[in-house]
Amino acid sequence: MDEFRALKAEDGQRLDLLLAARYEAYTRSCLQDLIKNGSVTVNGKPCKSGQKIMENDRIEIVFPPVRDLDVIPENIPLDILYEDEDLIIVNKPKGMVVHPAAGHYSGTLVNALLYHCKDSLSGINGVLRPGIVHRIDRDTTGSLIVCKNDRAHQAVAAQLKEHSITRKYRAIVHGRLTEDGTVHASIGRHPQRRKEMAVNVPGGKDAVTHYHILEAFDQFTYIECQLETGRTHQIRVHMKSIGHPVLGDELYGPAKCPFPDLQGQTLHAMTIGFVHPGTGEYIEVEAPLPDYFKELLIKLRKQ
């Protein structure tokens, strides 16, 4: 059992959101299930997910016993952009988690990769993340490199560390941008809202995002972002910091999305380029825009 008292910064927050910020290893839906089945109490009393928490409220949470996790191969279709004996590049769909974690034991990219690649995945990141050398958020779509052996994994990881990999994203942001620009601001964990990242916080890491206007609308702008660094939520945090959060971003954007059918942020990892660990040649792979993204652009052009 875990027990704590709500902080002043948490006053007025929904219980499920507060717990999600404190217990990042658990999904919000998993925590909501714990609340629903009575494993969470507030001041010793049963509660609901949407209950507003006050400063100094005593919250107790009983987590289920930790279980050994066997990652099961699952026959989930993969959109493969490139594949050879060293690596595979997939076009990750919206809503798919990259690797298993608390609350997500199946349906992940790793489950699909284990079925497709069998035993041909690097083991450097352990049994939960075989082959995974970098990640993109659950609701971000696009290109992701997966390594099939440790030699390839080490080579690609070195390029990531050196920031030499080409990574270009497409995004739709709130507001009308009028010129290209660069956001150079360190990124670190938000001091109060632990599920969020923030710019210019103590202990933050250097981060650079270049953005280029592709198309401007009345209230939104379609942009391409190129990363020099690869920090958690980098584009989402940087664009919010200049007053242009990514459309549909439930964590960093406005509380009410003007397009209610959107599921998460309009952010797509379109292009990835790197030196191939086997051949030594530079290769570049592009993931086409997903249908939901293209359909949204059509709507914006008609407005």
Side-chain angles (χ1 to χ4, degrees):
M1 183 181 77
D2 200 4
E3 178 182 343
F4 64 91
R5 289 191 177 272
L7 304 174
K8 183 177 181 180
E10 296 169 323
D11 186 79
Q13 287 190 31
R14 283 174 55 109
L15 174 62
D16 56 351
L17 293 177
L18 184 152
L19 293 178
R22 280 181 172 260
Y23 299 99
E24 298 177 50
Y26 292 83
T27 64
R28 184 177 169 189
S29 60
C30 178
L31 292 166
Q32 288 172 334
D33 287 341
L34 290 177
I35 296 169
K36 187 176 181 179
N37 68 28
S39 297
V40 181
T41 60
V42 177
N43 299 322
K45 299 178 181 180
C47 49
K48 295 183 178 181
S49 294
Q51 179 172 328
K52 295 298 178 64
I53 299 303
M54 306 298 291
E55 181 183 2
N56 288 324
D57 276 350
R58 188 182 78 257
I59 300 169
E60 295 180 352
I61 179 167
V62 179
F63 291 102
V66 176
R67 64 170 180 169
D68 292 333
L69 181 58
D70 293 323
V71 186
I72 306 300
E74 297 179 32
N75 187 7
I76 302 171
L78 288 171
D79 183 1
I80 298 171
L81 303 171
Y82 176 90
E83 183 175 15
D84 60 26
E85 62 183 9
D86 289 313
L87 51 87
I88 178 172
I89 302 175
V90 298
N91 183 11
K92 190 190 80 67
K94 182 177 280 289
M96 176 179 271
V97 175
V98 171
H99 60 78
H104 284 287
Y105 296 110
S106 65
T108 74
L109 180 62
V110 162
N111 294 106
L113 287 166
L114 286 172
Y115 184 91
H116 177 80
C117 299
K118 305 298 188 285
D119 296 327
S120 299
L121 288 171
S122 69
I124 289 176
N125 276 342
V127 296
L128 296 186
R129 305 180 186 185
I132 303 300
V133 67
H134 69 119
R135 296 181 295 170
I136 54 179
D137 299 334
R138 180 185 65 184
D139 289 328
T140 298
T141 55
S143 51
L144 186 77
I145 305 171
V146 178
C147 294
K148 290 186 174 182
N149 53 65
D150 290 354
R151 176 183 56 81
H153 191 124
Q154 291 167 342
V156 174
Q159 293 179 63
L160 283 165
K161 187 175 182 180
E162 296 167 358
H163 310 308
S164 61
I165 289 183
T166 300
R167 281 179 288 179
K168 296 179 181 179
Y169 286 68
R170 295 291 176 89
I172 300 173
V173 298
H174 285 267
R176 186 181 176 91
L177 287 163
T178 57
E179 59 184 6
D180 298 346
T182 296
V183 183
H184 189 172
S186 65
I187 292 176
R189 187 69 57 185
H190 194 290
Q192 285 85 38
R193 300 188 292 275
R194 303 299 293 170
K195 200 172 183 178
E196 297 182 24
M197 308 301 286
V199 298
N200 301 326
V201 295
K205 295 181 179 180
D206 188 50
V208 181
T209 303
H210 305 285
Y211 59 89
H212 167 64
I213 298 170
L214 298 174
E215 199 168 352
F217 308 104
D218 287 341
Q219 301 179 51
F220 305 96
T221 309
Y222 176 36
I223 61 174
E224 178 177 84
C225 293
Q226 182 159 351
L227 302 183
E228 278 195 27
T229 53
R231 309 306 178 197
T232 301
H233 298 175
Q234 179 170 319
I235 293 173
R236 299 164 65 190
V237 174
H238 270 173
M239 296 313 296
K240 177 190 176 182
S241 74
I242 63 170
H244 296 277
V246 177
L247 176 61
D249 194 328
E250 297 173 354
L251 194 59
Y252 300 106
K256 186 175 182 180
C257 178
F259 298 92
D261 292 336
L262 273 181
Q263 299 293 318
Q265 63 271 3
T266 50
L267 186 60
H268 177 67
M270 193 161 196
T271 304
I272 194 156
F274 57 99
V275 175
H276 191 286
T279 66
E281 297 180 356
Y282 178 81
I283 66 170
E284 195 166 277
V285 176
E286 186 171 288
L289 280 177
D291 289 341
Y292 91 91
F293 204 122
K294 292 187 288 187
E295 290 166 3
L296 184 54
L297 286 172
I298 291 171
K299 289 180 182 178
L300 291 173
R301 289 168 184 145
K302 291 179 178 180
Q303 289 183 353

